[in-house]
Amino acid sequence: IQRKAIGKVRGLKNRIVSRQALYSFRKKTRAYRDKHAGESCIITACGPSLDNLPDDVLEGFTIIGVNASFRKIKPTYVTIIDTALSWLDEAREYAHLNQIPLFISWNWGGFESQTKVYSNEITMPTQRFPVDYGKNGYPYREWLYRVYNNPHHLEDGVTCNASVVSESAIPLALYMGFQRIYLAGVDGKASKNRVHFYKDNKEDMAVHKMNHEIAKQHDSQSDAFQVRMFAFDILAASVNRDRIFN
């Protein structure tokens, strides 16, 4: 009986924290709703190809930097889903010192309840769904498809399964009203030699392990490429597909 009571109290506390996080997210995010209507932006991911991007290509564009891409370029905004990786504190400090809006995902309020949040940080409540091509993937597909077709649904949170670009950065860019969204450093998969444009052996091993686990779960034994492209397949079927360029 005591255990059940404790479980109910914890469940109630988590629901309260989640609602508070969602309210905070919506309140902060609405300042960016259609803020850049009709403009163009570049989303910079961390693939090895980012090393080959000439600096002058970025001139005149609003930049949405994904994860650790701030090490290569100076972003206008930063968005992070991979909050367990080693450079998280570095990214937060960089964005805080430069007063760059940082959209950071955490599972329904866990981040705000455990960590001091800087004034420039906007925590994005995160929904996790099974990702596959069968009936278990239906809620995930529906959630993303709804956001891609009506970006204002971003206010209900983001997904976090396969790709920070397709599940966070692109929906955020659509929500902000950008008409033309260009992708840079979005390579789709990691080679055996390079995972990102920067070298981090510990992180590389973690990414390869994660890709291997994803591949095992989703009928793709070679790598996680097919799963990472799954969200882009959903995007390609949306009404906003013509606003994205790679």
Side-chain angles (χ1 to χ4, degrees):
I1 297 176
Q2 186 176 9
R3 287 182 179 179
K4 288 183 178 180
I6 293 174
K8 288 182 178 180
V9 170
R10 286 178 177 173
L12 177 61
K13 181 180 178 181
N14 289 337
R15 286 194 295 273
I16 293 173
V17 170
S18 296
R19 287 172 184 168
Q20 289 175 338
L22 185 57
Y23 173 78
S24 175
F25 169 64
R26 286 174 174 170
K27 184 178 179 180
K28 291 180 179 180
T29 304
R30 281 174 183 162
Y32 299 93
R33 184 171 178 166
D34 297 323
K35 181 179 180 179
H36 298 278
E39 300 177 17
S40 299
C41 74
I42 297 178
I43 293 174
T44 57
C46 296
S49 66
L50 191 66
D51 258 345
N52 303 322
L53 186 70
D55 293 337
D56 59 356
V57 170
L58 302 175
E59 293 180 3
F61 284 95
T62 299
I63 308 297
I64 299 178
V66 170
N67 287 350
S69 62
F70 67 89
R71 290 175 170 175
K72 171 74 175 176
I73 51 89
K74 184 177 180 179
T76 314
Y77 303 101
V78 175
T79 179
I80 294 175
I81 278 184
D82 298 331
T83 52
L85 298 179
S86 59
W87 43 259
L88 175 60
D89 290 339
E90 179 188 351
R92 294 186 66 210
E93 192 65 22
Y94 170 84
H96 176 59
L97 290 175
N98 292 280
Q99 282 302 292
I100 296 171
L102 171 59
F103 294 82
I104 181 170
S105 74
W106 210 266
N107 282 337
W108 293 112
F111 180 75
E112 288 196 350
S113 64
Q114 299 172 19
T115 310
K116 176 183 176 181
V117 179
Y118 293 127
S119 60
N120 65 302
E121 293 180 339
I122 300 172
T123 57
M124 301 184 294
T126 306
Q127 287 277 13
R128 291 181 180 271
F129 298 116
V131 187
D132 59 31
Y133 297 91
K135 62 181 181 180
N136 290 332
Y138 179 77
Y140 170 73
R141 291 196 303 271
E142 285 297 295
W143 186 280
L144 264 186
Y145 190 67
R146 182 174 63 171
V147 171
Y148 285 150
N149 280 291
N150 184 352
H152 294 163
H153 282 302
L154 180 76
E155 293 174 5
D156 295 327
V158 297
T159 56
C160 179
N161 286 289
S163 170
V164 64
V165 172
S166 59
E167 298 180 65
S168 174
I170 291 177
L172 181 62
L174 292 171
Y175 180 82
M176 289 180 172
F178 288 105
Q179 186 60 36
R180 298 174 71 86
I181 302 166
Y182 298 94
L183 308 181
V186 183
D187 298 351
K189 66 176 180 178
S191 69
K192 292 183 178 179
N193 298 321
R194 297 190 69 186
V195 174
H196 301 118
F197 68 89
Y198 57 90
K199 186 66 176 176
D200 185 324
N201 290 331
K202 184 177 180 180
E203 185 175 321
D204 290 352
M205 289 180 63
V207 171
H208 281 303
K209 182 179 179 181
M210 177 186 69
N211 287 347
H212 180 67
E213 291 301 316
I214 293 176
K216 284 198 305 183
Q217 296 173 20
H218 301 97
D219 300 323
S220 177
Q221 299 303 318
S222 58
D223 55 40
F225 178 75
Q226 193 175 24
V227 175
R228 291 190 181 280
M229 292 299 102
F230 186 32
F232 286 98
D233 291 340
I234 300 172
L235 175 61
S238 75
V239 297
N240 288 306
R241 59 185 177 275
D242 294 334
R243 293 166 65 181
I244 316 298
F245 304 86
N246 192 7

